[in-house]
Amino acid sequence: MNIHEYQAHALFEKFGVPSPKGYPAASVADFDAALAKLPDGPVVVKSQIHAGGRGKGTFTDGFKGGVKVCKTKAEAREMATKMLGNTLVTLQTGAAGRKVQTIYFTPACDIKKEYYLSILLDRASSRPVIVVSTEGGMSIEDVAHNTPEKIIKVLVDPAIGLADYQVRQLIFALGFNPAEAKNATKLIKALYTMFWETDASMVEINPLITTKDDQVMALDAKVGFDDNALFRHSEIVALRDLNEEDSKEIEASKYGLSYIALDGNIACLVNGAGLAMSTMDIIKHFGGTPANFLDVGGGASKDQVVAAFKIILGDPNVKGILVNIFGGIMDCNVIASGVVEAVKEVGLELPLVVRLEGNNVEAGKTTLNSSGLKLVSGDTMADAAQKIVKLVSAA
Ligand code: ADP
Ligand code: MG
């Protein structure tokens, strides 16, 4: 789950990471109140979307720049009015862009130099990695490609935490003067604490800046959290902005389903992530392409199965469905009843192959067979996969 920059700044404040004190506004009527809270002087107007590259982005009506440094509050108000409700396209949004629904006003900082700082999870070493560079404010992918020696990484042992010598390594790599070094040390330690305690998966600050009076501050903020840890962070779940997420994936998460849309045309409804992966593999093996990953989980209810089936049927790319269930904890009849109920509600014109095995399988088969549903049974995984691939390619 990702959050907006203004929400990230509020978290920074809580953990003692210095950043400009700004105010968000979600309607033109609220602009003046937000601007009134800022000190006089230059103001930065920032479009709030879950994507970077806003400064260099272009709105679909041709207006350029999703981040604007303005000399006065009046100018800031005018720029904000052009951005709010407008659709911003950046290198990270895709061609469709994202509609700006909140504007963030912050005081402009007198920047001495821009740096890059992020903390991520390094999956290869199973450790948090802190990444820094003196080349801040620009695309870090370009820096990594053109001048990889300018990217410095420090791996943190999660059992020990961030050690002082590691912070010194980072500070040295960034070439700070003693006053900056002192401030940067505090900032890096506070940021690591935030990363760790909130179960973040990514905190990216680009740019981290120094000012003429040697302050060190996080200007930009891109923060994401590990979905699997959200259950213990209700204060973070409250920051979720559904406008920024794929509607099918939102629907799936409401029902506790693990769903990821893919490019193919054979939808899969499966219980268990391992079985879901092997079902996708076997579809590929027999020449088909999966339309999604969908794991209804070990103990899915009928409501969850109905929701899952409706999400699948709502995807226009889907040309056939394979239900592949191994009932260990799962009761096959719950799946069967869910499928029958979903089809009753939304209809089914596509070929459907069902393979059920395990707990209460006979009752499940009876439910399906007596429903009058037009479906094809598969005896084994291979048999079911071959059948759905054949039906979809014949259609
Ligand atoms: P994005 O990365 O999405 O383009 P940023 O927040 O990094 O958005 O803003 C783009 C650029 O705008 C920054 O690299 C910085 O040069 C400038 N900028 C952003 N916030 C401020 C600020 N508070 N004061 C001065 N300049 C800023
Ligand atoms: Mg940036």
Side-chain angles (χ1 to χ4, degrees), residues 5 44 46 52-55 67 106-109 111 114 206-207 219-220:
E5 178 188 29
V44 187
K46 311 187 87 172
R54 296 163 301 168
V67 173
T106 76
C109 303
I111 302 175
E114 301 192 346
N206 190 19
L219 280 206
D220 195 2

Side-chain angles (χ1 to χ4, degrees), residues 302 305-307 309-310 313 321 335-349 352 367-368 370-375:
K302 196 167 102 184
V305 177
V306 172
F309 214 77
K310 283 190 190 165
L313 290 174
I321 301 164
I335 296 281
S337 317
V339 169
V340 171
E341 183 159 329
V343 171
K344 249 192 232 152
E345 282 181 42
V346 292
L348 177 69
E349 250 116 72
L352 167 66
T367 300
L368 288 174
S370 61
S371 69
L373 246 183
K374 227 180 91 201
L375 63 86

Side-chain angles (χ1 to χ4, degrees), residues 70-371:
C70 303
K71 289 203 180 70
T72 63
K73 289 184 180 178
E75 187 189 344
R77 192 181 199 290
E78 193 188 322
M79 292 300 153
T81 310
K82 290 188 176 147
M83 292 179 194
L84 189 69
N86 209 341
T87 300
L88 180 58
V89 181
T90 80
L91 282 176
Q92 295 183 10
T93 59
R98 292 273 176 80
K99 190 170 168 193
V100 177
Q101 317 219 26
T102 304
I103 300 291
Y104 186 41
F105 296 102
T106 76
C109 303
D110 202 358
I111 302 175
K112 184 159 71 179
K113 180 168 167 50
E114 301 192 346
Y115 301 83
Y116 176 91
L117 164 66
S118 68
I119 309 180
L120 309 151
L121 202 64
D122 178 51
R123 291 180 192 278
S125 63
S126 311
R127 290 171 181 213
V129 59
I130 305 183
V131 183
V132 296
S133 177
T134 51
E135 310 306 296
M138 56 189 93
S139 154
I140 197 66
E141 290 81 3
D142 290 345
V143 180
H145 184 259
N146 301 328
T147 48
E149 73 282 1
K150 290 192 169 161
I151 293 192
I152 286 86
K153 297 181 188 171
V154 164
L155 288 167
V156 182
D157 184 328
I160 297 171
L162 180 59
D164 285 346
Y165 79 89
Q166 294 183 302
V167 181
R168 283 196 292 275
Q169 248 176 314
L170 295 165
I171 299 288
F172 182 75
L174 293 174
F176 288 134
N177 72 33
E180 291 167 346
K182 202 172 150 211
N183 292 325
T185 298
K186 266 194 235 153
L187 185 148
I188 292 171
K189 286 184 174 178
L191 194 71
Y192 183 79
T193 304
M194 177 187 135
F195 174 85
W196 188 254
E197 290 186 1
T198 61
D199 289 305
S201 49
M202 176 184 80
V203 179
E204 185 182 58
I205 298 176
N206 190 19
L208 175 82
I209 59 144
T210 49
T211 62
K212 302 234 158 64
D213 55 353
D214 297 329
Q215 298 302 311
V216 182
M217 261 198 272
L219 280 206
D220 195 2
K222 222 173 142 193
V223 177
F225 302 93
D226 181 345
D227 291 345
N228 293 312
L230 287 175
F231 72 94
R232 56 186 184 196
H233 297 288
S234 55
E235 77 291 356
I236 286 164
V237 175
L239 303 176
R240 190 166 173 199
D241 182 353
L242 295 180
N243 292 318
E244 295 283 335
E245 297 179 26
D246 178 292
S247 60
K248 291 198 294 290
E249 291 179 14
I250 293 171
E251 192 60 21
S253 73
K254 267 193 222 160
Y255 288 91
L257 304 164
S258 302
Y259 171 88
I260 294 159
L262 301 169
D263 296 337
N265 58 11
I266 299 178
C268 327
L269 189 153
V270 186
N271 66 320
L275 189 61
M277 298 298 275
S278 47
T279 304
M280 288 158 53
D281 281 347
I282 204 162
I283 288 173
K284 276 260 180 200
H285 179 76
F286 287 114
T289 49
N292 65 273
F293 170 97
L294 197 163
D295 169 16
V296 297
S301 68
K302 196 167 102 184
D303 285 350
Q304 282 175 301
V305 177
V306 172
F309 214 77
K310 283 190 190 165
I311 290 166
I312 284 176
L313 290 174
D315 180 349
N317 296 327
V318 169
K319 300 288 176 257
I321 301 164
L322 172 58
V323 175
N324 184 20
I325 300 298
F326 180 79
I329 303 167
M330 191 73 231
D331 179 336
C332 288
N333 198 28
V334 169
I335 296 281
S337 317
V339 169
V340 171
E341 183 159 329
V343 171
K344 249 192 232 152
E345 282 181 42
V346 292
L348 177 69
E349 250 116 72
L350 303 170
L352 167 66
V353 175
V354 180
R355 179 247 176 178
L356 294 176
E357 201 56 78
N359 181 12
N360 213 11
V361 63
E362 289 314 322
K365 285 186 174 163
T366 308
T367 300
L368 288 174
N369 293 337
S370 61
S371 69

